[in-house]
Amino acid sequence: MSVLKTGLAHPSRMRGIFRYLLHAKGQREKRDVLERILSPDKLVEHLASEEKLKDKKSSHPMFNDAIRESIKCKLLIEEDKEVAINQILPKDAINPQIGDKLLPDTFTYLFFASDNEDEEDFGRVCAWYLAQDIYDAPGTWEEVENRVSEQKVGDFLKMSSSRLFVQMDDWMRYLGFAWGHTLAGKPVTVPDPSAYIKRNLNHLFNGEQEITIQDFIKRLAKQCPLFETGKFREEVETQIGKRETNFLSTSTAFALFRLHDEGDIQLERQSDSAFMILPKANNQVDNDGRISHIIWKGEKS
């Protein structure tokens, strides 16, 4: 099982447990105390009465599923009937002042970049969605279902129900790989990793002000293998077809163009330098899309 297939392991619930423990003494609490505080009986009874909970055998299914998945991904540990934040995480990740802000990146590492076999199906689904054409991406479950069928990746992705799409949607938005809007009265999701990339520019540039776009993409894939040349993206492209040589996917290109327009980075093509191609709508390529270097416009830390 993974967070993708555990519908009650919602990012807000796992975040709520983590936020409480961030400020608890020793960043730990007895499990039964934590359960009473974060999943009071009246709330569980109310949801059960409205038939929102399928698991009637468990008295606190939302809490239990969120705790279980948090422990499985090694965000938390459980010992001697206590639940605690895993102290092997980076110091900043468990810092009470900034740990909650960094939690989306902590989850991203724990899910996708730490050889977590339980989350491999989730990684493939996210990488597949980011590999879709952002200008023609499937934004609803019905469209995802059709695209999966068209690309013949049903057995590979195992995206078999709208519930899985909702879970993917919620997590990708929280992690910064997608956002949503309403179109013709229907909620629509867009695979746009701008938020994730923007949060991580400091780490990706690693003290440098200017790097080649090849180095940028290599660093991005190493940090988060959902992106081009990363483990999960490579698996997906084996199924749906490889990108053209030196081309980025439209979702990554869109994110870089967006960050350029917002003043976070500057995209340049320098003479006599190898470049990569950032396609726009309909895979159109112009001079703005032939990029050799990326300059970070932020301040060095």
Side-chain angles (χ1 to χ4, degrees):
M1 294 291 284
S2 67
V3 295
L4 179 67
K5 296 177 180 176
T6 307
L8 297 182
H10 192 272
S12 65
R13 293 174 189 137
M14 293 171 69
R15 180 189 179 197
I17 295 170
F18 180 78
R19 289 179 67 182
Y20 177 89
L21 291 172
L22 265 182
H23 301 280
K25 184 178 180 180
Q27 296 192 329
R28 61 176 54 240
E29 184 61 89
K30 290 185 180 300
R31 182 176 178 129
D32 59 344
V33 173
L34 197 59
E35 184 178 72
R36 288 197 301 270
I37 292 172
L38 298 178
S39 184
D41 290 338
K42 288 186 177 180
L43 175 61
V44 175
E45 291 169 2
H46 173 70
L47 292 174
S49 67
E50 295 187 354
E51 298 183 347
K52 292 183 179 179
L53 300 178
K54 295 181 179 179
D55 186 359
K56 304 297 178 61
K57 296 179 181 179
S58 174
S59 59
H60 297 268
M62 292 185 296
F63 174 82
N64 290 328
D65 282 3
I67 282 283
R68 185 181 68 250
E69 293 303 322
S70 297
I71 292 170
K72 281 175 59 182
C73 76
K74 299 183 180 179
L75 178 72
L76 308 178
I77 59 173
E78 185 172 17
E79 53 189 12
D80 299 327
K81 297 183 179 180
E82 289 187 331
V83 176
I85 291 177
N86 194 339
Q87 297 300 304
I88 69 170
L89 293 172
K91 290 183 178 179
D92 284 347
I94 60 177
N95 183 322
Q97 279 67 52
I98 60 176
D100 181 49
K101 180 181 178 181
L102 296 178
L103 186 57
D105 292 327
T106 302
F107 273 131
T108 299
Y109 169 76
L110 293 173
F111 289 158
F112 309 126
S114 63
D115 297 321
N116 185 344
E117 294 182 1
D118 285 333
E119 301 300 339
E120 287 188 346
D121 56 346
F122 184 32
R124 294 183 188 104
V125 166
C126 292
W128 173 80
Y129 200 55
L130 288 174
Q132 302 305 301
D133 182 358
I134 191 174
Y135 302 101
D136 184 36
T140 65
W141 162 242
E142 291 78 11
E143 292 173 354
V144 165
E145 190 175 29
N146 290 336
R147 188 66 57 85
V148 166
S149 176
E150 291 170 6
Q151 296 182 348
K152 297 180 173 58
V153 289
D155 292 339
F156 172 71
L157 294 179
K158 300 179 176 62
M159 281 287 285
S160 57
S161 71
S162 60
R163 180 182 62 81
L164 296 179
F165 172 73
V166 169
Q167 193 73 348
M168 179 206 79
D169 187 18
D170 288 341
W171 272 104
M172 288 192 73
R173 293 192 196 196
Y174 175 67
L175 298 176
F177 299 122
W179 52 272
H181 65 104
T182 300
L183 184 64
K186 295 174 60 177
V188 175
T189 303
V190 179
D192 173 13
S194 300
Y196 175 82
I197 295 175
K198 181 171 183 173
R199 285 198 317 262
N200 286 277
L201 287 174
N202 187 16
H203 296 296
L204 293 168
F205 278 87
N206 193 27
E208 300 174 78
Q209 206 73 35
E210 177 181 315
I211 58 177
T212 67
I213 192 166
Q214 287 94 340
D215 281 345
F216 182 87
I217 295 301
K218 288 177 183 176
R219 295 177 188 185
L220 184 60
K222 183 177 180 180
Q223 180 166 306
C224 179
L226 305 180
F227 289 95
E228 287 87 335
T229 74
K231 169 189 172 181
F232 293 110
R233 185 66 73 91
E234 293 280 277
E235 291 181 8
V236 165
E237 290 182 355
T238 298
Q239 299 290 324
I240 67 174
K242 295 285 187 179
R243 289 169 289 108
E244 294 185 60
T245 303
N246 291 330
F247 271 65
L248 293 180
S249 63
T250 54
S251 67
T252 303
F254 181 91
L256 294 178
F257 283 132
R258 180 175 176 180
L259 295 176
H260 172 87
D261 291 341
E262 293 175 355
D264 295 295
I265 60 174
Q266 183 174 326
L267 302 174
E268 285 191 351
R269 180 181 179 185
Q270 299 178 8
S271 60
D272 300 323
S273 297
F275 62 88
M276 298 191 76
I277 294 175
L278 281 61
K280 298 180 180 179
N282 300 317
N283 277 323
Q284 177 185 354
V285 179
D286 54 26
N287 287 333
D288 293 339
R290 294 177 172 86
I291 304 300
S292 64
H293 288 75
I294 302 182
I295 300 170
W296 184 34
K297 308 300 287 185
E299 296 180 1
K300 293 182 180 179
S301 61

